[in-house]
Amino acid sequence: MKKLNMLYTGLVIAATMGSAHAQMRIEISGVGSNQIPVAVAGFANEGVSPQKISEIIKADLERSGAFKIIDAGVINDVNNIDYSGWKAKGADALVVGTVDALADGRYDVRYKLLDNVKQTKISNLDKAVTAQFTRLSAHLIADDVYFKLTGIRGAFSTRIAYVKQEGRTYQLMVADADGENEQLALRSNEPIISPSWSPDGTKVAYVSFEQKKPVVYVQNLITRARTVVANEKGSNSAPAWAPSGNKLAVALSKDGHTQIYTVNADGSNLRRASNSPGIDTEPQWSADGNSIYFTSDRSGGPQIYRMNPDGGDAKRVTFGGAYNISPRISADGKTLAYISRRDNNFQLYVLDLASSQELRLSDTTNDESPSFAPNGKYIMYATQAGSRKSLAVVSVDGRVKQRLTTQAGNIKEPTWGPFMQ
């Protein structure tokens, strides 16, 4: 929690240096296969808070598609609950809470998750927060509800990064997972591409063209310090963090055609990993650090391969379709997400690595840049409808879909941040 507070504080400070205030609009379609009925009550006295805690919790849970949300009005007496009454209204669980303004300017946020069937308390949290962390406290409560009722860790309190383009201005943005609390990390008149979160969530690697060529940087989101990681002859692209957080994989053309290299996060100890006569690019580490997935045209058209981080023989992973790019691997190592071209449409697919079963997740036709949520249950990607580029989120079973749009500019190149401790 301390590290998460530091990151939010750093971004709030960064906001004084310039921020885009237009928030995203989210459209949701589809629901999960087995929705859990949950009543979410308005928190007692939450009008004193700068953020309406209960509304954020409801929006998070509804967006997940895993819950059927029942409006419970405002419950002021959270210690005397009519469990049978709420069960009769169809709610298996009930979320209640209170907010109190403290003398030191902070807000005491308290919440309970109640089991209406067993008539017991499932969970509770109590946190005193400053005004800037009231939204975060709501996301953390939603995470707790999600975990306690599904057994899967919630990802509502995580962050996303993406590139927003308005005319000839490019902005690297960081926001809450719901697109709110958007803050500026970097602004440039030259393209910014391929952002990638560090495993501890305090840094973002990306490619900037500000030197009139692609160069890989790492930026600390708390201190604002930037480090050049790769500025070799030719193209420097596609940074991806190792799970250890001390090195990255990158794609460089320093020796002619583009190949995969590894490099320390401070730019030292550059080593070549792949060695093929074709183009090897878009590296992505597995969560255990034992493999790098990447895109290569060594078989003729672009396909996804897997190799040891130190190099050696690479094994082909994708065989469905003649054009598969942008590999992303789930945290449990079981599912590969990628973009496949079929019938001239670029669409998001997932591959079960054990069964080799493919599933198309998107119904759009110009998709790119997939990124798993850290709990592995959702994938964010960029897509295009007409001339506007936007972000979309889909559950890994394809049932729940979200579209995130903004009033101004195109948004692209999304990457979903890690869990924060």
Side-chain angles (χ1 to χ4, degrees):
M1 181 67 180
K2 181 179 179 182
K3 189 179 290 182
L4 186 55
N5 285 350
M6 289 175 60
L7 176 57
Y8 270 65
T9 302
L11 289 169
V12 169
I13 293 171
T16 64
M17 302 175 66
S19 172
H21 297 288
Q23 302 301 304
M24 291 190 193
R25 178 173 179 266
I26 300 178
E27 300 173 4
I28 305 170
S29 63
V31 297
S33 57
N34 295 293
Q35 285 191 303
I36 302 169
V38 179
V40 180
F43 281 24
N45 203 36
E46 69 179 340
V48 302
S49 168
Q51 301 281 351
K52 199 167 184 179
I53 304 293
S54 63
E55 292 300 321
I56 297 170
I57 296 169
K58 282 195 284 189
D60 282 348
L61 299 179
E62 183 176 24
R63 197 172 66 252
S64 74
F67 304 94
K68 179 183 178 182
I69 304 301
I70 298 170
D71 189 1
V74 177
I75 296 180
N76 290 305
D77 188 354
V78 299
N79 295 315
N80 293 290
I81 300 298
D82 179 9
Y83 290 103
S84 298
W86 285 110
K87 176 57 181 172
K89 293 179 181 179
D92 288 350
L94 173 65
V95 175
V96 297
T98 61
V99 181
D100 290 302
L102 302 177
D104 61 4
R106 294 182 300 163
Y107 299 89
D108 184 28
V109 179
R110 302 188 179 206
Y111 125 94
K112 294 179 183 179
L113 175 63
L114 306 173
D115 186 327
N116 295 325
V117 179
K118 297 180 180 179
Q119 300 191 4
T120 60
K121 181 179 69 177
I122 301 172
S123 185
N124 68 282
L125 292 174
D126 181 359
K127 184 71 177 177
V129 298
T130 58
Q132 72 194 54
F133 294 127
T134 52
R135 169 170 284 276
L136 173 59
S137 68
H139 289 318
L140 290 169
I141 291 170
D143 282 345
D144 189 64
V145 173
Y146 190 94
F147 175 68
K148 293 301 192 306
L149 296 183
T150 69
I152 300 166
R153 191 171 177 181
F156 306 115
S157 63
T158 57
R159 307 282 279 168
I160 59 174
Y162 50 90
V163 175
K164 179 184 289 186
Q165 181 182 357
E166 298 182 57
R168 297 181 62 86
T169 300
Y170 299 83
Q171 300 171 94
L172 177 61
M173 310 301 299
V174 175
D176 291 355
D178 60 0
E180 296 292 326
N181 196 27
E182 184 183 60
Q183 305 290 349
L184 175 68
L186 177 70
R187 179 184 286 114
S188 177
N189 291 327
E190 300 295 335
I192 302 168
I193 61 172
S194 305
S196 174
W197 285 94
S198 65
D200 67 359
T202 64
K203 305 177 187 70
V204 173
Y206 57 87
V207 176
S208 172
F209 285 74
E210 62 196 74
Q211 296 190 38
K212 306 303 179 183
K213 60 172 286 191
V215 176
V216 176
Y217 293 85
V218 167
Q219 180 157 329
N220 188 306
L221 295 175
I222 299 172
T223 67
R224 312 287 294 173
R226 289 207 304 168
T227 302
V228 174
V229 174
N231 185 13
E232 303 293 327
K233 180 181 67 175
S235 176
N236 305 267
S237 63
W241 289 87
S244 63
N246 60 7
K247 65 172 61 176
L248 298 94
V250 293
L252 308 179
S253 64
K254 62 187 293 292
D255 296 322
H257 52 289
T258 301
Q259 295 288 285
I260 307 299
Y261 293 74
T262 60
V263 61
N264 289 347
D266 62 2
S268 65
N269 197 28
L270 181 67
R271 293 185 176 184
R272 185 167 173 171
S274 71
N275 191 0
S276 79
I279 294 174
D280 296 344
T281 187
E282 298 185 313
Q284 191 73 198
W285 294 78
S286 60
D288 60 12
N290 293 330
S291 301
I292 292 177
Y293 291 79
F294 63 100
T295 302
S296 177
D297 66 355
R298 62 183 66 190
S299 61
Q303 295 291 342
I304 295 168
Y305 291 77
R306 181 180 64 243
M307 68 176 176
N308 184 289
D310 294 327
D313 291 337
K315 296 182 178 180
R316 183 171 166 176
V317 178
T318 53
F319 293 89
Y323 189 104
N324 297 297
I325 61 173
S326 303
R328 300 292 186 271
I329 189 74
S330 62
D332 62 10
K334 296 179 179 180
T335 307
L336 179 74
Y338 53 99
I339 302 299
S340 185
R341 187 182 68 190
R342 315 277 173 99
D343 298 324
N344 291 321
N345 295 324
F346 292 86
Q347 295 179 297
L348 174 64
Y349 281 73
V350 289
L351 176 70
D352 184 304
L353 293 174
S355 67
S356 298
Q357 292 296 310
E358 273 191 324
L359 176 64
R360 179 172 60 83
L361 296 184
S362 67
D363 49 18
T364 44
T365 60
N366 197 4
D367 305 334
E368 60 185 23
S369 306
S371 180
F372 273 98
N375 64 6
K377 293 301 178 180
Y378 303 90
I379 300 171
M380 178 173 286
Y381 60 100
T383 190
Q384 184 169 340
S387 60
R388 291 293 301 276
K389 292 185 176 181
S390 62
L391 305 185
V393 177
V394 61
S395 58
V396 290
D397 62 4
R399 290 178 175 271
V400 182
K401 294 181 170 67
Q402 306 167 27
R403 179 69 65 87
L404 293 78
T405 58
T406 186
Q407 291 181 344
N410 292 311
I411 44 180
K412 54 188 178 180
E413 304 273 350
T415 178
W416 208 317
F419 289 124
M420 299 292 290
Q421 303 302 322

